[in-house]
Amino acid sequence: MDFSMPPEDHPARVAIRTWLAANPEPDGRALAVAGYVAPHWPEPWGLGADAETRLVIEQELAGASIAMPDNPIGIGWAGPTIVAAGTEEQKQRWLPSILDGSTFWCQLFSEPDAGSDLAALRTRAVRDGDEYVVTGQKIWSTWANHADWGILLARTDPDAAKHEGISYFVLDMASEGTEVREIIEMTGGNHFNETFLTDVRIPAENRVGDEGDGWRLARLTLGAERLSLSEGGVLWGMGPTTGDLFAAIAAKGGLSDEVDRRRAVTLHEEEMILRLFGYRILTKMMHGGDPGVDASIRKLLADLHGQHVMDFMKNLRGPAGMVGAPGEHAAERDVWDWGFLFSPALTVGGGTTEVQRNIIAERLLGLPREPAE
Ligand SMILES: Cc1cc2nc3c(=O)[nH]c(=O)nc-3n(C[C@H](O)[C@H](O)[C@H](O)COP(=O)(O)OP(=O)(O)OC[C@H]3O[C@@H](n4cnc5c(N)ncnc54)[C@H](O)[C@@H]3O)c2cc1C
């Protein structure tokens, strides 16, 4: 592991500071055109930046409090798959608006009977001339109710082996026959949805990769998703952080209870381990490596840490922490209540903790693979 941070005179640091001086309040479009939204993507979409340059750019943008385009699924995991497997025409069509956030993306993979065992999916896509006719049901589709486009897995060959009959599509969410129903969660809010597809026509030009190559592309997407979520930190970057927890404790004059103090130290240790593990992944990437199974380890640790932080805050708040309840007073609840109620989802979304453990067991520890069906 390399602990030294890129120097002050790193060429990328000098370049972005010069650019920010000329563009002090860049919008999504300006950031995308400059290649700063996903600098690690190849040109012209990014800058073909190595991990060190990417770190420098992220540091500088965060330091200047620059708001990045809000399109996590588009930028985090749909985009990288299109970069890797899309045709030139598909890249020209979708990547600019993914990067500048002018289109919003969702992921239509999971089904009622296909979550961890995603390859069991049953949504059908039947070729009809220049189109596919798609019928099936998706579930847990995050932000599908706001999305313009969705990445979709569907079975094009029901007679092929389970992993081989799947294809990868990009769905215009305004297509006739697409019905999105919101799911209200125990937070009282709405994060994900059910998506029903009835005879939805998708142009064949919206298929990414070859027919039957969907499982390979899905694995690319899922790898990018794991990395993206694990980089987000506590609550995948959607809520209060471990730093916010310690700031709240300090604002109340610290902790007097011995057990609480010990738990707080443990949380600090967990956070340090996560940070160092992040540096390890970065070091590996700086030397041209792929995060591989390390992304699963980091996601596993980060998700459990997120739950520990939320649980600790809930306990610290005592009876007052129990008052917030979903429903009528949902809007009045603060971010900690929301975080506590959302936190069970951390060890499920993006691949459950058990699935991450299976990956680590098989790919890192070399334990026997699960029996094939
Ligand atoms: C917040 C959130 C956002 C999500 N967003 C999206 C989205 O945008 N798009 C999308 O397509 N999906 C999304 N999902 C769905 C998510 O990918 C699935 O919930 C997840 O893959 C688990 O599938 P499942 O819910 O069907 O549970 P199941 O697969 O039925 O698992 C049930 C339990 O069995 C365990 N289990 C299953 N198989 C094994 C095994 N082989 N070994 C050991 N234990 C096992 C699991 O760990 C779990 O505890 C989201 C989920 C959450 C929580």
Side-chain angles (χ1 to χ4, degrees):
M1 194 187 305
D2 180 2
F3 287 100
S4 57
M5 281 291 139
E8 276 296 295
D9 62 351
H10 189 288
R13 206 184 289 289
V14 175
I16 191 168
R17 284 184 183 170
T18 309
W19 187 82
L20 283 172
N23 302 273
E25 289 179 7
D27 59 10
R29 178 104 191 94
L31 287 161
V33 169
Y36 287 143
V37 176
H40 51 299
W41 292 10
E43 293 181 3
W45 318 111
L47 300 170
D50 59 21
E52 185 178 51
T53 304
R54 182 183 171 193
L55 176 67
V56 166
I57 291 169
E58 286 172 357
Q59 275 180 345
E60 292 295 321
L61 290 171
S65 302
I66 302 296
M68 298 300 280
D70 177 27
N71 189 15
I73 293 177
I75 297 167
W77 48 100
T81 311
I82 295 169
V83 167
T87 62
E88 191 51 38
E89 195 195 345
Q90 289 174 334
K91 290 177 192 173
Q92 298 284 351
R93 183 171 169 208
W94 289 314
L95 294 181
S97 70
I98 285 181
L99 286 168
D100 68 21
S102 58
T103 58
F104 193 71
W105 287 59
C106 70
Q107 178 188 21
L108 305 165
F109 282 14
S110 303
E111 297 184 3
D113 292 318
S116 302
D117 186 13
L118 184 58
L121 63 90
R122 288 190 301 199
T123 293
R124 281 282 280 127
V126 179
R127 182 88 188 217
D128 180 22
D130 290 340
E131 296 176 322
Y132 286 87
V133 182
V134 180
T135 299
Q137 185 194 343
K138 297 291 174 176
I139 195 162
W140 316 127
S141 348
T142 300
W143 303 313
N145 48 343
H146 305 299
D148 304 293
W149 296 96
I151 42 174
L152 168 81
L153 293 180
R155 192 164 295 286
T156 37
D157 184 354
D159 299 324
K162 189 171 160 186
H163 294 84
E164 287 165 18
I166 297 171
S167 299
Y168 194 112
F169 298 93
V170 171
L171 169 69
D172 179 346
M173 294 298 288
S175 305
E176 198 175 327
T178 305
E179 187 194 347
V180 177
R181 291 188 202 159
E182 294 183 355
I183 297 173
I184 302 300
E185 298 125 29
M186 69 178 177
T187 60
N190 157 250
H191 176 99
F192 39 42
N193 307 271
E194 295 176 289
T195 307
F196 296 87
L197 306 165
T198 310
D199 294 333
V200 176
R201 291 194 163 261
I202 301 183
E205 67 204 28
N206 286 20
R207 194 192 66 230
V208 182
D210 293 335
E211 206 174 273
D213 200 23
W215 184 248
R216 184 181 69 85
L217 303 191
R219 287 181 56 143
L220 282 182
T221 304
L222 295 173
E225 176 181 3
R226 265 199 298 274
L227 192 61
S228 227
L229 292 177
S230 77
E231 283 173 343
V234 171
L235 294 173
W236 301 335
M238 293 193 297
T241 65
T242 318
D244 293 333
L245 171 74
F246 291 134
I249 291 171
K252 290 192 184 304
L255 297 169
S256 52
D257 182 87
E258 181 65 21
V259 175
D260 285 343
R261 290 160 73 99
R262 280 169 193 257
R263 281 193 74 188
V265 169
T266 305
L267 291 179
H268 178 64
E269 288 168 352
E270 287 179 4
E271 196 210 14
M272 281 300 291
I273 290 168
L274 273 168
R275 194 177 314 164
L276 294 176
F277 201 76
Y279 290 157
R280 186 165 118 172
I281 295 179
L282 203 59
T283 305
K284 196 169 167 185
M285 290 166 72
M286 282 178 184
H287 291 96
D290 185 289
V293 73
D294 283 353
S296 287
I297 299 175
R298 186 142 199 266
K299 182 174 185 301
L300 175 73
L301 296 175
D303 292 343
L304 292 171
H305 176 62
Q307 291 179 347
H308 298 161
V309 168
M310 294 305 135
D311 183 61
F312 185 55
M313 189 55 152
K314 180 60 95 181
N315 280 321
L316 281 186
R317 297 174 77 190
M322 305 303 290
V323 175
E328 203 184 338
H329 300 292
E332 296 158 23
R333 290 200 330 274
D334 73 5
V335 290
W336 289 103
D337 281 324
W338 180 86
F340 176 78
L341 291 171
F342 184 80
S343 62
L346 296 172
T347 47
V348 179
T352 69
T353 289
E354 290 75 20
V355 166
Q356 307 308 330
R357 288 198 165 112
N358 280 349
I359 293 172
I360 295 163
E362 291 174 12
R363 294 194 209 155
L364 183 70
L365 304 178
L367 295 175
R369 295 185 67 82
E370 280 199 276
E373 286 169 39

